Each structure stands twice: as structure tokens, then as C-alpha cells.
Amino acid sequence: MNEKLDRRKKYTRMVLKDSLMELLKEKAIGSITIKEICERADINRSTFYTHYSSQYDLLHQIEEEIITDMNDTLAGYGDNKVGEERLMTEKLLEYVARNKEVCEVLLSERGDVHFQQKVMDIALNHTVTNLVKANQVEEGLSKYVSLFYVSGSIHLIEEWLKNGMDKPPKELAKIIIVLANNGLNGLKI
């Protein structure tokens, strides 16, 4: 009996999440009502409130799952070895590619700015450590350099998603790393 309830709970949560993500493709979270989510999910409001307190709570849960998954994806690189930046970037881009629809919506202007900041914080944490370890940047400047690097990378990923991921993750990772390490001098123009 418990297994049946767990499956039903999982299914309900999945349908609610999918419904919210579909609505976020059309409009911002502040314009989405619980009624709209429930209608799209074909679930009544009391069922919604059994699982979530608001549309923001539902969005927050989706974001937390993505953040956890991203951290897990990068967990194998916990010691931040010098030279692993490209592999880390590839793995992160492969994750984004596998979760294209969700990442595209959450990183867009309709997504939550706080989510984008959390993604930046994850990337900054890994980037700062690597830059200092590689002696590429002195410790006092690493936060500024990392912020520049990560902000540009996130916008590049947003554009990549908008363009239908027109380059494979490995190629985009190479572009990001070359730009980070050598600026425009590293690219053949």
C-alpha cells in the first residue's frame, strides 16, 4: 500500500512540476496562479496544497533539485585539481543538455534571479579555487576574475540553449575555457 502511495505522490509532484515548467515558458512566475497550475496538471487545489504551499514553493523545489544535481555532477571534482576546469565544464554542459527544457526556462528572464545566483555561486566556488591553485590569479583578484568568467559563461550557456544547443557540450566547454584562459586571443577569428 505504501509503495502505491509513494508512486502516486511522485506522479502528482511530477505533473505539478511539468505544469509549472510549461507555464513558465509562457510567462513569469509572478503571473502564474495556483489555479492555472492545477488546471494544466488536472489536479485539484487541495492536492496541490498537500505538496506545496505556493507556486513559489513549487518553483523553489524544482530549483533545489537542479542545484543538488549540479553539485552532485561536480562532486567528483571536489578537490578542484588544476587542469580539470575543462572536464568540469563539459560535465556541467552535458548536464544542462540532458535537462535542456528545465535549464532553459530557469535560466531565462522568466526564471528566478535567485536560482541564477545559486548556479553562479556553485560555479564560482569551483572556479575561484582552481584559479588560485593554478597561480593564474592572485587571491585578492580571484573573486573578480571568477565573477567575470562565470557571468559570461552563464550568458553563453543561455544563448547556447536559445540556439538549440548548436554546438556539442565538448566544443562549447572548449570555447569557455579558451576564453577564460586566453580571452579573444585564444580564439581563431
Side-chain angles (χ1 to χ4, degrees):
M1 185 71 169
N2 278 342
E3 185 179 319
K4 189 175 185 178
L5 285 175
D6 286 345
R7 282 194 320 211
R8 202 175 327 164
K9 271 184 174 180
K10 286 179 184 178
Y11 175 78
T12 301
R13 288 180 180 173
M14 179 191 72
V15 171
L16 288 169
K17 289 174 185 177
D18 290 348
S19 297
L20 178 61
M21 294 312 296
E22 288 298 317
L23 287 165
L24 281 170
K25 291 177 184 176
E26 301 166 14
K27 54 187 171 179
I29 186 68
S31 302
I32 296 173
T33 65
I34 305 257
K35 181 181 177 187
E36 289 174 303
I37 297 168
C38 291
E39 284 175 357
R40 186 142 320 187
D42 196 24
I43 289 174
N44 64 46
R45 289 171 63 95
S46 62
T47 302
F48 177 91
Y49 286 115
T50 300
H51 298 278
Y52 304 103
S53 61
S54 68
Q55 64 272 44
Y56 297 100
D57 180 34
L58 173 55
L59 178 61
H60 178 73
Q61 293 299 317
I62 294 168
E63 292 171 347
E64 286 304 310
E65 286 175 17
I66 297 292
I67 294 297
T68 299
D69 287 350
M70 285 182 174
N71 276 321
D72 290 348
T73 299
L74 295 174
Y77 309 98
D79 53 359
N80 293 314
K81 294 177 185 161
V82 175
E84 284 193 336
E85 301 87 3
R86 186 168 175 179
L87 189 56
M88 284 172 44
T89 305
E90 282 178 31
K91 294 297 177 196
L92 203 51
L93 290 171
E94 288 168 2
Y95 175 82
V96 169
R98 282 191 310 274
N99 297 280
K100 177 193 182 303
E101 287 190 27
V102 174
C103 289
E104 187 171 26
V105 170
L106 293 179
L107 290 173
S108 75
E109 63 278 352
R110 292 178 305 278
D112 183 5
V113 179
H114 299 293
F115 172 75
Q116 294 173 9
Q117 186 60 50
K118 287 178 186 177
V119 171
M120 285 182 65
D121 289 344
I122 290 169
L124 280 171
N125 182 40
H126 290 281
T127 307
V128 170
T129 306
N130 278 348
L131 288 172
V132 172
K133 277 187 176 181
N135 294 318
Q136 290 178 305
V137 176
E138 58 186 76
E139 207 164 333
L141 297 177
S142 64
K143 281 188 178 183
Y144 294 108
V145 172
S146 294
L147 184 62
F148 181 79
Y149 167 66
V150 171
S151 297
S153 296
I154 286 179
H155 290 294
L156 197 126
I157 292 168
E158 286 176 32
E159 191 64 26
W160 178 60
L161 288 168
K162 285 179 192 172
N163 290 330
M165 299 184 307
D166 57 347
K167 299 197 177 310
K170 196 171 197 158
E171 188 177 335
L172 188 64
K174 179 182 177 185
I175 292 168
I176 290 171
I177 297 302
V178 166
L179 284 171
N181 292 334
N182 305 318
L184 289 177
N185 292 330
L187 292 177
K188 295 178 184 175
I189 298 176

